[in-house]
Amino acid sequence: MHNFCTRKGMILNRISIINYKNIREAALQLSPKMNCLIGHNGAGKTNFLDAVYYLSFCKSAYHSLDSQVLTHDEDFFVLEGDYSADAPQADAEHEMIYCGMKRGTKKHFKRNKKEYKRLSEHIGLIPLVFVSPADIVLIEGGSEERRKLMDMVISQYDHTYMDVLNRYNKALMQRNTLLKMEEEPDLSLLQLWEEQMAVEGEKIYEKRNLFVEQLIPIFQDIYQYVSSGKEQVSLRYVSHCQRGPLLDVIQRDRMKDRVMGYSLHGIHRDDLEMLLDGYPIKREGSQGQHKSFLIALKLAQFRFLKNTNAHTTPLLLLDDIFDKLDAQRVEQIVKLVSSEEYGQIFVTDTNREHLDTILSESGFNYKLFHVAAGEITEITT
């Protein structure tokens, strides 16, 4: 467990980036409140946010392979973040987070120069919520994307969650291997993995179900605010666990699973249905409504984590969020993120117009950075 039980939040004071995608080198002193990055599409703004994300989650938000974040012709990358608890400066505790990797070897992740034995120990130390155009996959993509969303939030406040999920996935993999066999699989072995899937699966179901139940009212509240009450939204968690004891559900279709060669039932098929005025949002609504839905969903995660994770304020990353939204919704979101509720914020845009509105609304500490071809320079006003 992490030792920041009473902290308000973590602040990233300084970040150093070497060879991360198109950012060859950057060393920035950051504002404890608002950091705005301005630049054309493809300049490297999202890459910068991804580097901040990496320091919280030990991985990129966009690439499953670590080698994919390396600058093309380089053979190593390094990220370093100097964080402090959001407390009076004199007694603020500092956390130095380091990640480095040479091409072809495994990455090293360190907290205050001490390497983690397991990366899962780091998750939740610096909670973070990332809102980006890529979130559209939550509406348009398959159920795996929505499960990933649930897992990512829960793992930031429940440190047993990833271990339970890993045990479930291992049992699922072993059962699938047996189902694929040419000859008849060993029944007692099959039973063993099914029992493990059921035990771990029901724990995961309980945690996901509780999370969704608590998230819905927060999400609806924020959406009402952003849309000025124009539409109703909701979420519905769907799981095979709702059909009875999971072991029975898994074993009921064993013959069919054998024919298919994989497990048709279990929490690996869970889904989170996203509803607009009672209908699946995938088939309803405009681009602006979809975008409002996703922003409200992510800001609900933010509020949820803040209330759950030892009252820690997460970092908030907002990537190009104003595109496709009407002026009224932009204004509501600006008002929301300018409030005291939010801690340190990173926001990107292609022009200064929206950002200047936020800054004039809020009157708090900020820094502006210009991003072009991977070069990041502070704009002094």
Side-chain angles (χ1 to χ4, degrees), residues 141-284:
S143 59
E144 183 193 352
E145 300 297 337
R146 295 180 285 278
R147 284 192 299 277
K148 238 192 291 189
L149 172 85
M150 292 191 279
D151 296 341
M152 196 190 70
V153 183
I154 298 168
S155 66
Q156 289 186 77
Y157 64 86
D158 181 338
H159 298 295
T160 64
Y161 186 77
M162 287 316 281
D163 293 337
V164 178
L165 193 60
N166 289 337
R167 288 197 297 272
Y168 176 88
N169 286 332
K170 186 190 168 198
L172 171 66
M173 210 167 66
Q174 297 285 358
R175 182 178 192 259
N176 285 350
T177 304
L178 292 174
L179 293 172
K180 282 189 187 77
M181 285 168 63
E182 292 287 315
E183 66 274 14
E184 232 8 78
D186 179 333
L187 208 58
S188 59
L189 204 52
L190 199 58
Q191 174 94 14
L192 187 78
W193 292 121
E194 288 168 347
E195 282 167 7
Q196 174 137 30
M197 274 175 72
V199 169
E200 308 300 349
E202 284 181 347
K203 286 182 201 162
I204 290 159
Y205 169 72
E206 291 300 329
K207 290 171 192 284
R208 286 178 179 169
N209 194 43
L210 187 63
F211 162 62
V212 177
E213 262 178 29
Q214 293 174 328
L215 189 72
I216 290 170
I218 304 171
F219 167 54
Q220 289 173 328
D221 182 46
I222 293 174
Y223 191 91
Q224 285 298 302
Y225 184 82
V226 170
S227 71
S228 306
K230 288 194 176 73
E231 310 97 26
Q232 295 290 324
V233 292
S234 194
L235 302 167
R236 188 162 55 218
Y237 176 37
V238 183
S239 175
H240 290 142
C241 284
Q242 291 152 345
R243 297 182 186 178
L246 189 55
L247 187 59
D248 295 353
V249 178
I250 291 168
Q251 291 180 340
R252 207 176 294 155
D253 274 328
R254 197 190 268 165
M255 294 311 290
K256 201 189 281 183
D257 290 2
R258 184 88 174 96
V259 172
M260 300 298 289
Y262 57 86
S263 305
L264 290 163
H265 294 90
I267 56 95
H268 60 288
R269 305 299 287 266
D270 283 2
D271 204 350
L272 184 63
E273 291 182 355
M274 301 185 164
L275 308 169
L276 180 73
D277 290 331
Y279 296 97
I281 191 167
K282 202 174 195 166
R283 299 192 290 276
E284 297 288 317

Side-chain angles (χ1 to χ4, degrees), residues 327-356:
Q328 190 187 9
R329 291 189 185 211
V330 168
E331 193 185 334
Q332 293 297 89
I333 290 165
V334 165
K335 273 189 198 153
L336 206 56
V337 300
S338 305
S339 72
E340 281 299 302
E341 182 184 355
Y342 294 87
Q344 190 179 29
I345 299 173
F346 296 83
V347 58
T348 72
D349 209 342
T350 48
N351 67 51
R352 278 187 65 165
E353 208 178 309
H354 294 127
L355 300 179
D356 283 336

Side-chain angles (χ1 to χ4, degrees), residues 41-53:
N41 290 330
K45 304 186 301 293
T46 304
N47 294 344
F48 172 82
L49 295 184
D50 194 41
V52 176
Y53 178 95

